Amino acid sequence: MVRRTAALMGVILVTSRSFSDGDLDLVERAAQAGHRILRGPAHHDLEDLRSLLHGADAWIAGTGAITDAHFAAAPKLKVVARYGVGTESVDLGAARDRGIPVTNTPGANADAVADHAIGLMLAALRFIPDGDRRVRTGDWGVRRGRELGAATVGIVGFGRIGQGVAARLSGFGPRVLAADPFLPDEVVRARGAEPVSLDDLFRTADVITLHAPGGQKLVDTDRLTGMRPGTVLINTARGDLIDEAAVAQALRDGTLAGYAADTLDGDTAAHHSPLLAPDLADRVIVTPHLGAQTTQAVDNMGALSLADVIAILAGSDPAHPVPVPLAEENR
């Protein structure tokens, strides 16, 4: 039997590494809608992407930067679909000025990232990676850890992922604080946390987990100075939320007992981060941006981003548009 597909309608550039790498065949789904998937590098270097962008009708993009220069190189581009939630890497003003809608995939990876945050908490509090490394060298000496249920856990950013972390923490029994300027206190309480200010959270919590958007510096020398000695910091959000040199120093002087993160500033290009120093290996855990890398999350992000792209290319409205800033003259 000959499989029938719609006539070829568009080229979809994909620069997310894990697109269609789960249980769903999204390449075939795109073909059934009449579109061809074209793969490009995840780092979004313009010179490497220029020829690919030139013929692209749509772009399913990872976390790399998307600038006005990228849009200028893509004269046919009708949509950028962020494969994930954060859009701080996209020049939304430039997209607005060029009439290019931007979408994302809210909630698609929330469970996966919340799971990973809990895993990093346990790994840091109980020295699990360090214990594994030492046993392999014949060292069976024990480092005494702390129980998650005996801690005060502060959640910075109480959206879908932060609330998912709170729900998972309920089984361990710690005191849970949350700081989020956009949520009413009653909503925070209803989702299992005590509402506090950001400064109070950093002064009070034993374990702090970051779930805020990038593009801001939440952890610097001043904030570290006010933390309780022995705090454990978890970051499954964005590397630029912290001052890495300041965190490295805080680990050395004992202000921080541990740092566990799913990314570093610069993401996969962060080869020279001060947090990768050999003398910090027993206090720092870094995973290679795998928090959202579950089969379920990959399928969710891919399916939502592709559905929005197909809708826009067909002349329909997307389900998950990202609000863009107003032009300066209209403010």
Side-chain angles (χ1 to χ4, degrees):
M1 179 183 295
V2 177
R3 176 174 55 86
R4 295 183 179 275
T5 62
L8 184 62
M9 295 167 58
V11 173
I12 303 172
L13 173 64
V14 174
T15 56
S16 167
R17 289 173 293 178
S18 61
F19 178 84
S20 198
D21 196 29
D23 287 338
L24 299 179
D25 187 348
L26 299 175
V27 174
E28 171 65 14
R29 186 174 295 185
Q32 289 291 337
H35 306 300
R36 177 168 63 93
I37 298 295
L38 183 66
R39 299 280 185 170
H43 54 67
H44 290 187
D45 180 87
L46 181 56
E47 292 313 307
D48 290 339
L49 278 178
R50 190 178 298 278
S51 62
L52 302 176
L53 284 169
H54 184 76
D57 298 284
W59 186 0
I60 296 177
T63 57
I66 300 176
T67 68
D68 187 53
H70 288 85
F71 293 131
K76 298 171 59 182
L77 195 65
K78 300 176 183 67
V79 57
V80 169
R82 260 289 289 119
Y83 182 90
V85 179
T87 56
E88 65 275 2
S89 62
V90 183
D91 187 336
L92 295 177
R96 173 206 64 219
D97 293 344
R98 293 181 179 274
I100 299 172
V102 177
T103 68
N104 65 353
T105 60
N109 60 12
D111 285 339
V113 177
D115 282 355
H116 194 58
I118 297 294
L120 290 177
M121 288 181 202
L122 293 170
L125 287 169
R126 301 302 301 273
F127 309 112
I128 293 172
D130 181 58
D132 175 78
R133 285 192 296 265
R134 287 187 295 105
V135 164
R136 294 173 188 277
T137 67
D139 178 2
W140 286 78
V142 174
R143 294 178 69 190
R144 183 170 296 149
R146 291 180 284 168
E147 294 178 16
L148 183 53
T152 295
V153 180
I155 302 174
V156 179
F158 207 54
R160 289 180 177 89
I161 297 173
Q163 292 176 26
V165 170
R168 286 156 175 77
L169 286 171
S170 66
F172 292 90
R175 180 188 180 195
V176 180
L177 312 176
D180 192 314
F182 302 106
L183 285 182
D185 288 356
E186 58 269 24
V187 173
V188 175
R189 291 191 186 96
R191 301 292 190 272
E194 301 173 35
V196 295
S197 71
L198 189 62
D199 287 337
D200 283 347
L201 184 149
F202 273 95
R203 284 192 292 262
T204 306
D206 304 299
V207 178
I208 298 171
T209 180
L210 305 179
H211 302 287
Q216 55 185 325
K217 197 69 67 183
L218 293 181
V219 182
D220 55 15
T221 300
D222 290 342
R223 187 149 271 151
L224 287 161
T225 301
M227 287 185 188
R228 301 177 65 177
T231 298
V232 169
L233 183 62
I234 310 296
N235 184 5
T236 55
R238 293 289 185 264
D240 64 356
L241 292 173
I242 73 158
D243 180 333
E244 292 189 345
V247 168
Q249 181 56 42
L251 288 162
R252 292 188 174 99
D253 66 26
T255 301
L256 287 179
Y259 180 69
D262 191 37
T263 186
L264 296 171
D265 198 5
D267 202 25
T268 56
H271 308 304
H272 304 292
S273 169
L275 293 168
L276 297 177
D279 68 304
L280 296 178
D282 62 339
R283 284 153 286 172
V284 173
I285 302 166
V286 181
T287 53
H289 213 146
L290 56 74
Q293 294 301 314
T294 65
T295 299
Q296 294 75 23
V298 164
D299 281 344
N300 289 340
M301 290 186 291
L304 292 179
S305 59
L306 180 61
D308 279 343
V309 162
I310 290 173
I312 288 175
L313 293 182
S316 301
D317 293 331
H320 308 100
V322 173
V324 297
L326 294 174
E328 192 68 38
E329 61 271 17
N330 292 333
R331 292 179 183 169

